[in-house]
Amino acid sequence: MLPNTGKLAGCTLFITGASRGIGKAIALKAAKDGANIVIAAKTGEPHRTLPGTIYTAAEEIEAAGGKALPCIVNVREEQQITDAVEKAVEKFGGIDILVNNASAISLTGTLETPTKKVDLMMSANARGTYLASKICLPHLRKSNIAHILNISPPLNLNPIWFKNHCAYTISKYGMSMCVLGMAEEFRGEVAVNALWPQTAIHTSAMDMLGGAGVEQQCRKTDILADAAYCILTKPKSFTGNFVIDENLLREEGIKNFDVYAVAPGHPLLPDFFLDVDPSTLAMKMEAHGASPVFREGKKIESAKHEGPDGAESAAAKPLGPVAETFKIIQGAISEDVVRSTQGVYLFELSGDEGGTWYIDLKNKAGSAGIGEPPVKVDVVMSMSSNDFVKMFSGKLKPTMAFVSGKLKIKGNMALAMKLEKMMTQFSSKL
């Protein structure tokens, strides 16, 4: 792990959402240097399901060697931010670093996202980041350290990151656009950067989204704390960057990333907004035992409850036969199968689980999931969902399905003929 250097000794960090999770991890890392931490978060009384308050976080920060100022702050309330900043300046003499970590999430489609959830995400994520930055900036400009760090993703304009949760993506990208604008506006005075994880991080929000077993596919918050520390100890000239934690730490000489894993050696989930689309991400979760709430997305209407920061979640329904089949296919895909097949298959299914699904046995390590693949399709196959399940379980031969008219094929027939051989490898696991 990245060692502390003492460079943040005596510095004052204003961290939103620092009562738990990533915000608290960053606070504890800085506290080891002897930093002053303003814990700007909503939780003053113990939450019914979530761990920690601003006061328990303050105790941990002081035990780690720092000084703490717990402040009740909802980043949607301008006056609460202003009051906390004034208290911080009075107690510590100024503010050197702002970490915009507080965030709300609801991974739901446009028609399924209540207006109050849209308002929550826009005001907490984009507006809250903007306000906290605006209020802290006059003090940051007086500091020799002068950093703003937003926990937000690189701006990836692939439509796949918008279509399933448009409001959430807009709100998180609003945080990232604050980086673009403010880095240029205050260049030379205040460094402004974004930090995002390469893999899923085990937090209360991830437990909510991924379900039981997801923690084994995650890294600890320590990796983001180390990456944040690395950024915040750089000079002001390091600005306008969208940093991925693992990439930065590799540049800093970290080689053993198992120390950051919840379950060393276990496959890790890539995080949102990077190279792996949501459908593939969901399939990877399910292949290793987790049942992501966002997988059902638009379909779930019941068993909803409030999650971290008011985020909406829902109990995942049991997988249907098609989804269960794809779950097993995803887990069975290997480099040998990809190397020997070299094809991308799109399935247009009708019936109870009708819809579009795909199997990519051509690119990288292969993938499978719901929706259209992010790459060019070689073969399109149309059939009923019932016949699809029979075909992949070995109860219906692809050749017979085609001859009898149950299966229609468009595209590369040579690749289509490889299907039967490929299915024998999958059917043994179905």
Side-chain angles (χ1 to χ4, degrees):
M1 296 174 71
L2 191 75
N4 280 59
T5 61
K7 289 183 179 179
L8 296 184
C11 293
T12 298
L13 287 78
F14 191 102
I15 306 178
T16 66
S19 61
R20 63 178 64 93
I22 294 166
K24 189 178 79 169
I26 294 172
L28 290 171
K29 180 73 176 180
K32 292 178 182 178
D33 273 6
N36 309 315
I37 311 295
V38 183
I39 308 161
K42 293 192 303 181
T43 310
E45 297 293 330
H47 192 277
R48 55 190 168 84
T49 58
L50 302 174
T53 68
I54 58 173
Y55 305 111
T56 58
E59 291 174 358
E60 291 183 57
I61 286 164
E62 295 194 344
K67 294 179 180 179
L69 175 63
C71 297
I72 295 288
V73 175
N74 180 344
V75 294
R76 303 171 72 189
E77 302 295 335
E78 182 176 9
Q79 192 59 51
Q80 290 185 17
I81 302 172
T82 299
D83 291 345
V85 168
E86 289 176 354
K87 288 178 183 177
V89 173
E90 181 181 353
K91 183 175 178 67
F92 298 125
I95 295 175
D96 301 292
I97 292 166
L98 167 64
V99 179
N100 285 306
N101 165 71
S103 187
I105 182 171
S106 182
L107 297 179
T108 45
T110 300
L111 298 178
E112 292 71 38
T113 309
T115 302
K116 71 174 185 176
K117 296 298 182 185
V118 177
D119 291 343
L120 170 64
M121 290 187 285
M122 298 300 176
S123 58
N125 300 355
R127 182 175 177 273
T129 293
Y130 185 92
L131 281 180
S133 301
K134 178 183 178 181
I135 295 166
C136 287
L137 270 162
H139 305 286
L140 292 169
R141 295 172 82 178
K142 298 175 185 177
S143 170
N144 292 326
I145 306 297
H147 273 270
I148 294 175
L149 180 62
N150 294 352
I151 307 303
S152 64
L155 292 165
N156 182 350
L157 296 183
N158 185 334
I160 200 163
W161 293 114
F162 290 83
K163 72 173 188 175
N164 292 329
H165 39 75
C166 188
Y168 173 65
T169 297
I170 291 171
S171 70
K172 289 302 289 186
Y173 282 8
M175 296 176 70
S176 299
M177 286 190 283
C178 284
V179 172
L180 280 181
M182 294 178 189
E184 288 303 312
E185 185 176 0
F186 299 100
R187 185 173 290 276
E189 293 183 283
V190 180
V192 187
N193 297 286
L195 174 63
W196 196 247
Q198 176 73 37
T199 70
I201 302 297
H202 186 225
T203 62
S204 298
M206 196 63 209
D207 280 338
M208 178 189 74
L209 296 172
V214 74
E215 69 278 358
Q216 295 185 43
Q217 303 169 66
C218 298
R219 282 177 172 157
K220 304 171 189 174
T221 53
D222 294 340
I223 190 169
L224 278 175
D226 280 5
Y229 184 86
C230 181
I231 293 169
L232 298 175
T233 53
K234 289 183 180 293
K236 295 179 188 179
S237 57
F238 186 83
T239 190
N241 300 289
F242 291 88
V243 178
I244 303 300
D245 58 357
E246 182 176 325
N247 296 345
L248 177 64
L249 292 174
R250 286 189 185 279
E251 291 174 3
E252 294 295 316
I254 300 296
K255 295 179 180 179
N256 178 18
F257 285 85
D258 278 348
V259 296
Y260 296 115
V262 173
H266 198 282
L268 295 168
L269 290 169
D271 206 348
F272 276 34
F273 305 114
L274 302 178
D275 294 334
V276 179
D277 67 90
S279 297
T280 302
L281 185 64
M283 292 301 302
K284 289 189 176 184
M285 280 188 183
E286 291 166 352
H288 293 287
S291 298
V293 167
F294 64 85
R295 153 63 98 184
E296 295 297 321
K298 300 176 182 179
K299 298 178 183 178
I300 294 180
E301 298 295 336
S302 61
K304 293 177 181 176
H305 64 277
E306 293 293 312
D309 291 319
E312 181 179 293
S313 68
K317 293 181 179 178
L319 296 178
V322 173
E324 184 65 35
T325 299
F326 270 91
K327 171 184 174 180
I328 295 169
I329 290 171
Q330 175 65 54
I333 292 175
S334 66
E335 291 183 2
D336 288 340
V337 172
V338 173
R339 193 181 305 112
S340 62
T341 308
Q342 288 296 291
V344 180
Y345 300 85
L346 183 70
F347 298 87
E348 296 177 339
L349 304 183
S350 59
D352 292 340
E353 285 185 271
T356 302
W357 301 72
Y358 75 90
I359 302 174
D360 180 358
L361 298 175
K362 187 176 187 177
N363 298 283
K364 298 182 180 179
S367 61
I370 194 169
E372 299 207 9
V375 293
K376 184 180 177 182
V377 173
D378 297 305
V379 183
V380 178
M381 299 186 173
S382 303
M383 62 193 310
S384 73
S385 55
N386 188 44
D387 286 336
F388 171 84
V389 173
K390 289 180 180 178
M391 194 167 69
F392 269 84
S393 62
K395 296 176 182 177
L396 175 65
K397 298 295 184 183
T399 303
M400 291 302 299
F402 179 70
V403 171
S404 64
K406 293 181 177 181
L407 169 64
K408 296 180 180 179
I409 301 175
K410 297 178 184 177
N412 189 323
M413 293 303 294
L415 282 174
M417 291 175 67
K418 287 187 175 183
L419 187 66
E420 195 157 358
K421 180 181 178 181
M422 176 184 72
M423 285 182 181
T424 58
Q425 299 179 58
F426 292 146
S427 62
S428 63
K429 301 183 179 183
L430 290 167

